Amino acid sequence: QSVLTQPPSVSAAPGQKVTISCSGTTSGIGNDYVSWYQLLPGTAPKLLIYDDNKRLSGIPDRFSGSKSGTSATLGITGLQTGDEAEYYCGTWDSSLNVYVFGSGTKVTVL
Amino acid sequence: QLQLQESGPGLVKASETLSLTCTVSGGSVGSPTHYWGWVRQPPGKGLEWIGRIYYNGNSYSNPSLKSRVSMSVDTSKNEFSLKLSSVTAADTAVFYCVRMFDWNRHCDSWGQGTLAIV
C-alpha cells in the first residue's frame, strides 16, 4: 500500500484536460520535492515533472505540476491519444527514509 | 544521450539470488554528479524503489528489502548491479535501473526494464 494516494483512473475526450491528484504526508510531499512519471507499455518510463513544477527538457507545456501542502497535482491539457499511460507521483519520505511512489493513475482518452 | 539497459536471467528459482546488471552509455557511473538506482514493478501493481548506489560504492536500500539487497558499481565496465537474495514469487516484477538526480531526488533517466519471474 503506497503512502502517496492517487485516483486509480481518470479519463477525458481528446483535446480536453485531466488532473491527477497525489495525496501524501508531512514527511513526504510536505517536506520534499514531487516528481511525476509517465509509464507507457513497452517503453522506458519517462520523467515529466520534477521539483514540483519543472518540466524536463522536451516535455510539452501541456503537462504541468503544482503542489500545496501535502498534496500535488499533475495537469494534462489538450489530451492526445498518445497520453494514454500510467502516471505516478514520487517523492522522498524523510520518515521512512525511502523514495516513495504514488499508487498510480491510468489515463484513458475517450 | 544517456541510455540505461538492464540485463539478467528472466527466470529465477525460489530461494535463490536474482542478479541484474545495468549497462550505461552516454554517461559515466564514475561521475560524482548523480546516483544510480533500481525500481521494480510487480505485475498489476505500482512502482517500488529498491535502492541507490554512488560512484564510490556507497549504497542504500529500501528498509523493507535491506537485508536481501546488495548493490555494486563497476566503473571500468560503466555498469552497476543488483543482487536480491532469497527470492519468492512476490519478487516477480519488471526491474528498472535508473539514474537519480541526487540521493533523495527524482529518477531522471530509466532503462526499459527487464522482467524477472520467480
Side-chain angles (χ1 to χ4, degrees):
Chain A
Q1 187 173 355
S2 176
V3 298
L4 301 180
T5 303
Q6 299 179 230
S9 63
V10 297
S11 61
Q16 297 300 302
K17 175 182 179 178
V18 295
T19 59
I20 301 171
S21 60
C22 175
S23 178
T25 62
T26 53
S27 61
I29 292 179
N31 188 61
D32 215 320
Y33 291 115
V34 175
S35 51
W36 289 90
Y37 305 89
Q38 179 191 59
L39 272 68
L40 281 162
T43 66
K46 184 189 301 184
L47 173 68
L48 301 174
I49 301 289
Y50 65 98
D51 291 359
D52 299 339
N53 55 20
K54 296 182 174 62
R55 275 186 305 277
L56 194 67
S57 176
I59 300 301
D61 59 8
R62 301 186 299 105
F63 294 88
S64 64
S66 63
K67 188 178 87 172
S68 178
T70 58
S71 293
T73 301
L74 175 71
I76 311 174
T77 59
L79 204 59
Q80 301 176 0
T81 55
D83 297 332
E84 280 206 337
E86 278 195 315
Y87 293 83
Y88 288 84
C89 55
T91 191
W92 183 264
D93 190 296
S94 59
S95 177
L96 300 174
N97 284 316
V98 67
Y99 193 88
V100 291
F101 291 98
S103 47
T105 299
K106 170 67 176 173
V107 170
T108 301
V109 181
L110 300 172
Chain B
Q1 182 181 355
L2 182 71
Q3 290 190 320
L4 297 85
Q5 180 65 58
E6 306 87 351
S7 60
L11 199 58
V12 184
K13 293 182 180 178
S15 79
E16 295 188 344
T17 296
L18 167 66
S19 297
L20 297 174
T21 296
C22 182
T23 302
V24 177
S25 57
S28 172
V29 299
S31 169
T33 58
H34 293 86
Y35 287 71
W36 306 91
W38 294 91
V39 174
R40 70 177 181 176
Q41 183 177 32
K45 296 187 178 181
L47 299 171
E48 180 183 30
W49 185 79
I50 297 172
R52 65 168 187 260
I53 189 164
Y54 201 36
Y55 77 103
N56 59 4
N58 286 343
S59 65
Y60 177 79
S61 307
N62 189 323
S64 69
L65 300 168
K66 198 169 189 176
S67 62
R68 298 196 293 131
V69 169
S70 172
M71 290 178 281
S72 61
V73 61
D74 188 334
T75 55
S76 67
K77 295 182 179 179
N78 211 30
E79 61 185 33
F80 59 102
S81 299
L82 169 72
K83 292 186 186 297
L84 181 65
S85 64
S86 304
V87 295
T88 70
D91 293 309
T92 293
V94 174
F95 287 76
Y96 299 99
C97 59
V98 300
R99 187 180 75 172
M100 296 184 69
F101 183 75
D102 205 339
W103 64 273
N104 63 341
R105 301 290 292 280
H106 51 274
C107 307
D108 60 12
S109 290
W110 297 63
Q112 288 214 327
T114 187
L115 175 62
I117 299 173
V118 179

